[in-house]
Amino acid sequence: MDSTPLLIGFVIMSLASLAIFAVGSKLPSVREHTYYHSIVPFIAATSYLAMTFGIGDFFKLDGTVTLTARYIDWSITTPILLTGLVVTALFGRKSDPGFLVSVITLDVLMIVAGLISSMSTLPAMKLVWFAWSCAAFLGVLYILWGPLRAISRSEGGAMDGAYAKNLVFLTVVWILYPVVFAIGPEGVHAITPLATIWAILVLDVVAKVVYAFYVAANIDKAMKSMVAPESYRA
C-alpha cells in the first residue's frame, strides 16, 4: 500500500499541532481550548507515523487491512474534542460530570464497535457492529443536541452562539466518517483502500485542524463580546 498519504498526514498534523498552540489564546478562561486542540493533531501525527510504518496493521483473511492505529487515535482524540464542546456548552455554569462521562463513554463505544466491525469478515457480523457503532454515535449526538444544547441556549449569549457553530461544524464532519467507512473496503468496497486513506486524511485535517482554528475564532469572538476590550488579552 502507498504510504504517501500517511506520511503527508504525519507532517500536516505535526505542523498543525505547533501552529495551533502558537497562535491559540492563552487567556485563562479559555486557554484550555488551546491545549485541547493542539494536543489532538499531535496524537493524530503519532497515529499517522505508526501507520506509515505499518504498525498496528491487522490483515484479514479476505485480503483487507484494518489500520488499528487509526482507531486508537480516534478513541483518544474524539473524547478530547467532545470535552471542548461540553466545556463550551457549560461555560460559566456549574459543571455536571454526568454529561461528559456519558458522551465520552458512548463515543468510545462507537469507536470500539467500529473497530470490531472493521475486523470482522462475516458480512452479517460486520453489519451488526457497524449498526451498533452508529447507535452509539446517535447517543452522542442526542446529548450534544439535546440536553447540552438546551443548557447552552437557556442563558443565550455569545458563548451559546459559539457552541452552536462548533457543534454544527463537528456534527457535519463526523457524519462523513461512517459514510467513508461504509463505502470503503471495510464496507461495500465501492472505493479502493488508497482512496479511503485519502478521504479519511481529508476528514481528519478538517476535523482536527480546520475545526481547531474555527473553534478558536468563535470562542475568541465570543470572549471579546463578553469583556471590556481593554481587559482582553489573547
Side-chain angles (χ1 to χ4, degrees), residues 95-181:
S95 178
D96 186 342
F99 287 118
L100 190 58
V101 171
S102 297
V103 77
I104 288 180
T105 299
L106 285 169
D107 175 67
V108 173
L109 286 175
M110 174 185 72
I111 304 300
V112 171
L115 174 60
I116 295 174
S117 175
S118 174
M119 297 175 71
S120 301
T121 54
L122 295 177
M125 184 177 295
K126 183 181 292 289
L127 180 60
V128 167
W129 283 103
F130 176 72
W132 194 242
S133 176
C134 290
F137 183 35
L138 289 176
V140 171
L141 294 180
Y142 166 74
I143 294 173
L144 296 176
W145 283 95
L148 281 175
R149 185 72 186 94
I151 291 173
S152 177
R153 188 184 292 146
S154 63
E155 293 186 15
M159 198 57 72
D160 172 56
Y163 174 71
K165 292 176 183 177
N166 298 343
L167 178 57
V168 170
F169 188 109
L170 200 62
T171 298
V172 171
V173 177
W174 278 19
I175 286 175
L176 296 176
Y177 279 94
V179 173
V180 173
F181 184 100

Side-chain angles (χ1 to χ4, degrees), residues 66-121:
T66 295
L67 306 179
T68 61
R70 173 181 291 153
Y71 291 87
I72 295 173
D73 164 6
W74 291 341
S75 69
I76 301 172
T77 56
T78 55
I80 296 174
L81 293 175
L82 288 172
T83 298
L85 265 179
V86 173
V87 168
T88 303
L90 300 177
F91 183 82
R93 301 171 179 84
K94 182 179 179 181
S95 178
D96 186 342
F99 287 118
L100 190 58
V101 171
S102 297
V103 77
I104 288 180
T105 299
L106 285 169
D107 175 67
V108 173
L109 286 175
M110 174 185 72
I111 304 300
V112 171
L115 174 60
I116 295 174
S117 175
S118 174
M119 297 175 71
S120 301
T121 54

